[in-house]
Amino acid sequence: MIRSDLTICAPASGSGGAISVIRVSGKDAFEIVSKVFFPSDNTVNILTISGFRVVYGEIRSGDEVIDEVLVSIFRSPHSYTGENSAEISCHASPYIVKSILELLIKNGASAARPGEFTQRAFLNGQLDLSQAEAVADVISSSSGVAHKIAMNQLRGGFSGEISNLRAELLNFASLIELELDFGEEDVEFADRGDLKAIIVRVKNLTDRLSESFSLGNALKNGIPVVIVGKPNSGKSTLLNVLLQDDKAIVSDIPGTTRDTIEDTIVIDGIEYRFIDTAGLRETTDVIESLGIRKTFEKIAQASVILLVDEITDSPDQINGRIKAIREKIDGTDKKLIILINKSDTSDYNLQGELSKRINREAGEELLFISAKEKAGLDGLRSILSESIAVSGSSLENVMVTNARHYEALCKVSVSLGRVLNGLEENITEELIATDIRQAIHYLGEITGEITSDEILGNIFRNFCIGK
Ligand SMILES: Nc1nc2c(ncn2[C@@H]2O[C@H](COP(=O)(O)OP(=O)(O)OP(=O)(O)O)[C@@H](O)[C@H]2O)c(=O)[nH]1
Ligand SMILES: [Mg+2]
């Protein structure tokens, strides 16, 4: 619901620290603040003062001084929301913050709803929809890379790409609609081959963007790395040393881990979600077999699979397990890393012998480690970083991290596929125009624009038909 007639207020800073910021925004922001805030320089009037000024003074409730504060003034449209806004920096006492908010509300402000400042920024055209969504991503990003992607989206990189696609389609639509206007006369304003080339190009770009979602989403939420292997091979020990935390129970009893355990850690600016699983073996234990079923699900969801074997396993056993995992991940871009654990219990010669007899395919890595002695882990971390960096060269490009955008892009692609078929099969302009409008509509859904008027606007602006 839009409540643009209300002036809203809310704490804008988190708990802790020495200072809290309270944000007030809306047409009556300055009037309301002026009723409770008294500048120490009484020649200053916040009703008339220019924007981007900071005023020192007291917040008072009747005769009682609640706090000494700084009030920052932002005049419409030069504020985050685009409205008149004030930010009150007070001491970070929960009591003070609560008292000031109560005072503001008593004097006519309303408590802001979640996201309402950003919603107003969008409604007032300060941000488009995908940028507004990026605000939440920037705040919640927990790694350097996630932050970089969110900042790119906030600064309009993604919106720019979507706008370019839309502009191309709007041009195309204009031509088709023009032909529709001349319906009876059977004119073709645009060469069908040229039109097809535009759609192919836009569809390729759309598909490239939607393909970036699986990595983009993983980078935002943590790259899922699943740790699998036979019981007792040291999977939970490995999880614990990677997380530097005793998260999982470790014991010498095979079948210790029966459910999946996961947690995240940032390595070289990228967040990984490590998932420890129940060891894979034939079992009649109901709970354990449920855990094993879950292990397969986790393999399906993971980007990277760490297969943990023991140095005392025979090459045949290890090759058998590699083959079983490979069958599960065949045809995907999942990365398989084979870890031979408990290397501390063997000598170097055995490692050399073993590595010769393990059948690896291109892209699969083999590493000898000792989870218990924390040996070989730097090697593992750098393989992880490199494997993401390879596909992560796309980091330089715009990346889709938001499921809503991904869904919309998939719909765009389907509509464009229909346009291509339509062009090929020479179907009527009406039907082609419908599919194009749909594709434009879905792109507009991403940035939050309204489309049909725009198509018309574009026709008249570009072609000056004047009717
Ligand atoms: N010598 C040696 N022992 C290890 C190493 N890693 C793990 N262990 C031991 O192997 C046993 C099993 O370790 P876990 O981490 O519980 O193995 P797991 O793969 O999680 O076992 P399940 O959950 O039962 O499938 C424990 O006694 C560990 O101390 C290692 O690198 N070297
Ligand atoms: Mg375990």
Side-chain angles (χ1 to χ4, degrees), residues 355-373:
S355 61
K356 268 187 247 154
R357 295 184 54 197
I358 290 177
N359 305 323
R360 274 190 297 154
E361 285 184 356
E364 295 172 351
E365 307 276 353
L366 174 70
L367 204 63
F368 289 87
I369 63 165
S370 164
K372 198 170 177 178
E373 304 292 329

mmCIF file of all heavy atoms in Angstrom, residues 355-373:
data_model
loop_
_atom_site.group_PDB
_atom_site.id
_atom_site.type_symbol
_atom_site.label_atom_id
_atom_site.label_comp_id
_atom_site.label_asym_id
_atom_site.label_seq_id
_atom_site.Cartn_x
_atom_site.Cartn_y
_atom_site.Cartn_z
ATOM 1 N N SER A 355 48.804 -41.976 -6.617
ATOM 2 C CA SER A 355 48.319 -40.952 -7.556
ATOM 3 C C SER A 355 48.458 -41.425 -9.005
ATOM 4 O O SER A 355 47.679 -41.042 -9.864
ATOM 5 C CB SER A 355 49.008 -39.608 -7.338
ATOM 6 O OG SER A 355 50.373 -39.742 -7.549
ATOM 7 N N LYS A 356 49.445 -42.312 -9.248
ATOM 8 C CA LYS A 356 49.592 -42.849 -10.603
ATOM 9 C C LYS A 356 48.426 -43.756 -10.974
ATOM 10 O O LYS A 356 48.053 -43.856 -12.140
ATOM 11 C CB LYS A 356 50.899 -43.657 -10.706
ATOM 12 C CG LYS A 356 52.074 -42.807 -11.170
ATOM 13 C CD LYS A 356 53.283 -43.665 -11.428
ATOM 14 C CE LYS A 356 54.376 -43.339 -10.392
ATOM 15 N NZ LYS A 356 55.313 -44.403 -10.129
ATOM 16 N N ARG A 357 47.866 -44.407 -9.991
ATOM 17 C CA ARG A 357 46.856 -45.433 -10.294
ATOM 18 C C ARG A 357 45.416 -44.936 -10.155
ATOM 19 O O ARG A 357 44.472 -45.699 -10.286
ATOM 20 C CB ARG A 357 47.102 -46.660 -9.408
ATOM 21 C CG ARG A 357 48.449 -47.300 -9.761
ATOM 22 C CD ARG A 357 48.711 -48.554 -8.991
ATOM 23 N NE ARG A 357 47.638 -49.531 -9.113
ATOM 24 C CZ ARG A 357 47.492 -50.556 -8.288
ATOM 25 N NH1 ARG A 357 48.334 -50.727 -7.295
ATOM 26 N NH2 ARG A 357 46.503 -51.415 -8.447
ATOM 27 N N ILE A 358 45.278 -43.651 -9.865
ATOM 28 C CA ILE A 358 43.919 -43.096 -9.798
ATOM 29 C C ILE A 358 43.566 -42.495 -11.153
ATOM 30 O O ILE A 358 44.324 -41.697 -11.696
ATOM 31 C CB ILE A 358 43.817 -42.053 -8.663
ATOM 32 C CG1 ILE A 358 43.903 -42.793 -7.325
ATOM 33 C CG2 ILE A 358 42.521 -41.267 -8.750
ATOM 34 C CD1 ILE A 358 43.893 -41.921 -6.125
ATOM 35 N N ASN A 359 42.421 -42.913 -11.675
ATOM 36 C CA ASN A 359 42.005 -42.439 -13.005
ATOM 37 C C ASN A 359 41.256 -41.132 -12.873
ATOM 38 O O ASN A 359 40.160 -41.095 -12.359
ATOM 39 C CB ASN A 359 41.080 -43.466 -13.677
ATOM 40 C CG ASN A 359 41.724 -44.827 -13.734
ATOM 41 O OD1 ASN A 359 42.947 -44.944 -13.938
ATOM 42 N ND2 ASN A 359 40.934 -45.867 -13.532
ATOM 43 N N ARG A 360 41.903 -40.088 -13.380
ATOM 44 C CA ARG A 360 41.248 -38.777 -13.304
ATOM 45 C C ARG A 360 40.889 -38.302 -14.690
ATOM 46 O O ARG A 360 41.601 -38.569 -15.646
ATOM 47 C CB ARG A 360 42.199 -37.759 -12.683
ATOM 48 C CG ARG A 360 42.136 -37.755 -11.196
ATOM 49 C CD ARG A 360 42.892 -36.587 -10.671
ATOM 50 N NE ARG A 360 44.309 -36.642 -11.005
ATOM 51 C CZ ARG A 360 45.071 -35.569 -11.102
ATOM 52 N NH1 ARG A 360 44.550 -34.368 -10.953
ATOM 53 N NH2 ARG A 360 46.360 -35.688 -11.381
ATOM 54 N N GLU A 361 39.795 -37.568 -14.774
ATOM 55 C CA GLU A 361 39.443 -36.940 -16.050
ATOM 56 C C GLU A 361 39.816 -35.471 -15.990
ATOM 57 O O GLU A 361 40.102 -34.937 -14.909
ATOM 58 C CB GLU A 361 37.938 -37.103 -16.309
ATOM 59 C CG GLU A 361 37.613 -38.521 -16.734
ATOM 60 C CD GLU A 361 36.162 -38.732 -17.099
ATOM 61 O OE1 GLU A 361 35.358 -37.788 -16.948
ATOM 62 O OE2 GLU A 361 35.847 -39.860 -17.516
ATOM 63 N N ALA A 362 39.806 -34.825 -17.163
ATOM 64 C CA ALA A 362 40.186 -33.409 -17.220
ATOM 65 C C ALA A 362 39.326 -32.596 -16.258
ATOM 66 O O ALA A 362 38.127 -32.835 -16.137
ATOM 67 C CB ALA A 362 39.986 -32.890 -18.646
ATOM 68 N N GLY A 363 39.961 -31.677 -15.550
ATOM 69 C CA GLY A 363 39.211 -30.796 -14.652
ATOM 70 C C GLY A 363 39.085 -31.353 -13.245
ATOM 71 O O GLY A 363 38.753 -30.640 -12.315
ATOM 72 N N GLU A 364 39.346 -32.660 -13.084
ATOM 73 C CA GLU A 364 39.268 -33.229 -11.737
ATOM 74 C C GLU A 364 40.615 -33.042 -11.050
ATOM 75 O O GLU A 364 41.664 -33.246 -11.653
ATOM 76 C CB GLU A 364 38.897 -34.712 -11.816
ATOM 77 C CG GLU A 364 37.505 -34.940 -12.377
ATOM 78 C CD GLU A 364 37.185 -36.408 -12.651
ATOM 79 O OE1 GLU A 364 38.102 -37.263 -12.562
ATOM 80 O OE2 GLU A 364 36.026 -36.689 -12.971
ATOM 81 N N GLU A 365 40.567 -32.667 -9.785
ATOM 82 C CA GLU A 365 41.809 -32.407 -9.045
ATOM 83 C C GLU A 365 42.041 -33.528 -8.036
ATOM 84 O O GLU A 365 41.086 -34.111 -7.512
ATOM 85 C CB GLU A 365 41.704 -31.081 -8.277
ATOM 86 C CG GLU A 365 41.299 -29.891 -9.106
ATOM 87 C CD GLU A 365 42.468 -29.249 -9.826
ATOM 88 O OE1 GLU A 365 43.623 -29.666 -9.561
ATOM 89 O OE2 GLU A 365 42.228 -28.348 -10.644
ATOM 90 N N LEU A 366 43.315 -33.790 -7.765
ATOM 91 C CA LEU A 366 43.656 -34.797 -6.751
ATOM 92 C C LEU A 366 44.613 -34.155 -5.753
ATOM 93 O O LEU A 366 45.564 -33.480 -6.145
ATOM 94 C CB LEU A 366 44.332 -35.992 -7.431
ATOM 95 C CG LEU A 366 44.872 -37.076 -6.496
ATOM 96 C CD1 LEU A 366 43.731 -37.838 -5.844
ATOM 97 C CD2 LEU A 366 45.773 -38.043 -7.265
ATOM 98 N N LEU A 367 44.341 -34.392 -4.482
ATOM 99 C CA LEU A 367 45.148 -33.732 -3.464
ATOM 100 C C LEU A 367 45.287 -34.655 -2.258
ATOM 101 O O LEU A 367 44.313 -35.257 -1.826
ATOM 102 C CB LEU A 367 44.411 -32.446 -3.051
ATOM 103 C CG LEU A 367 45.208 -31.313 -2.463
ATOM 104 C CD1 LEU A 367 46.209 -30.792 -3.475
ATOM 105 C CD2 LEU A 367 44.260 -30.188 -2.062
ATOM 106 N N PHE A 368 46.527 -34.770 -1.758
ATOM 107 C CA PHE A 368 46.743 -35.544 -0.535
ATOM 108 C C PHE A 368 46.666 -34.588 0.652
ATOM 109 O O PHE A 368 47.335 -33.547 0.641
ATOM 110 C CB PHE A 368 48.110 -36.235 -0.580
ATOM 111 C CG PHE A 368 48.140 -37.356 -1.571
ATOM 112 C CD1 PHE A 368 48.446 -37.118 -2.905
ATOM 113 C CD2 PHE A 368 47.829 -38.652 -1.172
ATOM 114 C CE1 PHE A 368 48.446 -38.148 -3.832
ATOM 115 C CE2 PHE A 368 47.833 -39.687 -2.090
ATOM 116 C CZ PHE A 368 48.145 -39.441 -3.428
ATOM 117 N N ILE A 369 45.847 -34.939 1.625
ATOM 118 C CA ILE A 369 45.718 -34.047 2.783
ATOM 119 C C ILE A 369 45.732 -34.855 4.073
ATOM 120 O O ILE A 369 45.607 -36.086 4.065
ATOM 121 C CB ILE A 369 44.393 -33.228 2.757
ATOM 122 C CG1 ILE A 369 43.169 -34.156 2.833
ATOM 123 C CG2 ILE A 369 44.295 -32.353 1.530
ATOM 124 C CD1 ILE A 369 41.883 -33.422 3.174
ATOM 125 N N SER A 370 45.900 -34.132 5.161
ATOM 126 C CA SER A 370 45.627 -34.717 6.465
ATOM 127 C C SER A 370 44.764 -33.719 7.211
ATOM 128 O O SER A 370 45.230 -32.658 7.613
ATOM 129 C CB SER A 370 46.924 -34.967 7.243
ATOM 130 O OG SER A 370 46.589 -35.177 8.602
ATOM 131 N N ALA A 371 43.485 -34.057 7.320
ATOM 132 C CA ALA A 371 42.559 -33.141 7.996
ATOM 133 C C ALA A 371 42.989 -32.992 9.448
ATOM 134 O O ALA A 371 42.951 -31.898 10.012
ATOM 135 C CB ALA A 371 41.136 -33.671 7.899
ATOM 136 N N LYS A 372 43.424 -34.108 10.019
ATOM 137 C CA LYS A 372 43.768 -34.106 11.438
ATOM 138 C C LYS A 372 44.985 -33.211 11.693
ATOM 139 O O LYS A 372 45.020 -32.462 12.664
ATOM 140 C CB LYS A 372 44.075 -35.530 11.879
ATOM 141 C CG LYS A 372 44.015 -35.732 13.371
ATOM 142 C CD LYS A 372 44.090 -37.209 13.645
ATOM 143 C CE LYS A 372 44.117 -37.527 15.111
ATOM 144 N NZ LYS A 372 44.154 -38.993 15.295
ATOM 145 N N GLU A 373 45.999 -33.301 10.807
ATOM 146 C CA GLU A 373 47.224 -32.516 10.983
ATOM 147 C C GLU A 373 47.137 -31.172 10.256
ATOM 148 O O GLU A 373 48.117 -30.439 10.172
ATOM 149 C CB GLU A 373 48.436 -33.295 10.452
ATOM 150 C CG GLU A 373 48.626 -34.680 11.066
ATOM 151 C CD GLU A 373 49.005 -34.603 12.541
ATOM 152 O OE1 GLU A 373 49.661 -33.616 12.933
ATOM 153 O OE2 GLU A 373 48.615 -35.516 13.300
#
